[in-house]
Amino acid sequence: MSDPKDRLYAAPLNGDWEKSSFSNGTGDDCVLITPIDGGVAFGDSKRRDLDGALRFTDREMLAHILAVKAGQYDHLIPDGTKL
């Protein structure tokens, strides 16, 4: 298991899950994230059975954060979408 992705998907999900401060206040429509050894794992409050289905290395997560901050994905949000 020398591949970084193999290690990520073998890492236990025993950390504290954090939800986005932009998620709705009821807690039933939230993107969740938790640190794991070598990266992060994502979850969905509506499908807790799938927690950790998406896992990214630290480098992948940094690239994603920088792209979001730069507005690279803004075109994917339909006009009029509200939180």
Side-chain angles (χ1 to χ4, degrees):
M1 225 189 336
S2 61
D3 183 282
K5 283 296 203 180
D6 290 340
R7 286 193 303 273
L8 278 182
Y9 282 93
L13 299 173
N14 55 8
D16 292 328
W17 289 91
E18 297 178 43
K19 74 173 187 168
S20 167
S21 61
F22 291 94
S23 295
N24 76 22
T26 64
D28 61 355
D29 211 12
C30 303
V31 173
L32 307 169
I33 189 169
T34 190
I36 57 175
D37 188 30
V40 296
F42 280 84
D44 181 338
S45 61
K46 294 180 297 305
R47 290 294 310 267
R48 295 309 306 264
D49 58 311
L50 297 176
D51 280 352
L54 290 174
R55 300 181 186 206
F56 299 99
T57 65
D58 293 328
R59 186 180 178 112
E60 290 169 332
M61 188 63 196
L62 177 58
H64 180 69
I65 288 171
L66 293 174
V68 169
K69 286 182 174 184
Q72 182 176 338
Y73 307 121
D74 290 356
H75 68 283
L76 299 173
I77 307 301
D79 289 341
T81 301
K82 306 269 189 243
L83 288 177

